Amino acid sequence: MITILNTGMGNPESVRNMLRAISLQARLSETAEDIAAASALILPGVGKFDKGMEALNTLNLIPAIQMHVDSGKPLLGICLGAQMLMQGSEEGRRPGLSLIKGRVKRFDIKEIAPDLKVPHMGWNRVTPARPSPLFDGLDVDGEDAMRFYHVHSY
């Protein structure tokens, strides 16, 4: 069963609705037991980095997330959830999950692309850097290549 973490922040029900639209079942949860039983885990989120990490800490989910990843099972971070996979963020002071090496930095594009706006908002084509099960069955090269809506500053 796919488990979507419900930390009280963001849009977990929207993620579950999208999974239903593609005929996948998922449950919302905020327990370590459900994380341990999950075949895959999704960490969504909208908000500030420190608040997101505080929510994971308060719910005592950090060790369970680490065990899930160490077992080789997939974890997908969306929006703030993706940022929390890093070691930290210049937006906050708390450490991240440290599942990906590096720190989240705010876009600073004034010198290289002064006509672009931050936050970046809009539909963009996404081209994977390497094969991934996330993109299986999706058009990655043609006219109808994958497009995703982005709203982000980091």
Side-chain angles (χ1 to χ4, degrees):
M1 169 73 67
I2 298 171
T3 297
I4 303 165
L5 290 181
N6 183 12
T7 61
M9 298 181 66
N11 52 358
E13 192 64 52
S14 296
V15 174
R16 183 163 62 174
N17 288 339
M18 183 52 68
L19 291 174
R20 279 187 191 137
I22 60 172
S23 301
L24 292 174
Q25 296 298 313
R27 70 173 158 223
L28 300 182
S29 179
E30 58 281 329
T31 72
E33 294 78 20
D34 285 345
I35 292 172
S39 59
L41 191 59
I42 298 176
L43 177 56
V46 174
K48 300 270 186 186
F49 188 89
D50 280 356
K51 290 282 189 185
M53 289 307 302
E54 181 181 327
L56 292 178
N57 191 50
T58 298
L59 293 167
N60 197 31
L61 297 181
I62 295 172
I65 294 168
Q66 185 65 54
M67 287 175 54
H68 176 89
V69 171
D70 288 347
S71 75
K73 293 188 269 186
L75 166 64
L76 173 65
I78 300 173
C79 198
L80 175 61
Q83 293 180 32
M84 293 189 300
L85 301 179
M86 304 287 287
Q87 292 172 303
S89 172
E90 70 177 21
E91 179 187 37
R93 295 183 179 178
R94 287 182 168 269
L97 293 168
S98 297
L99 299 171
I100 299 173
K101 190 175 182 177
R103 292 185 52 80
V104 178
K105 295 189 175 227
R106 190 177 203 296
F107 292 148
D108 184 13
I109 57 174
K110 290 178 188 168
E111 290 183 23
I112 57 173
D115 54 327
L116 295 179
K117 295 179 183 176
V118 175
H120 168 74
M121 297 170 58
W123 288 95
N124 299 106
R125 282 199 164 77
V126 173
T127 304
R130 63 182 176 270
S132 169
L134 287 173
F135 302 116
D136 285 352
L138 299 177
D139 180 6
V140 296
D141 295 314
E143 279 295 311
D144 296 324
M146 294 180 294
R147 291 179 357 125
F148 295 91
Y149 191 80
H150 295 81
V151 179
H152 58 126
S153 300
Y154 291 86

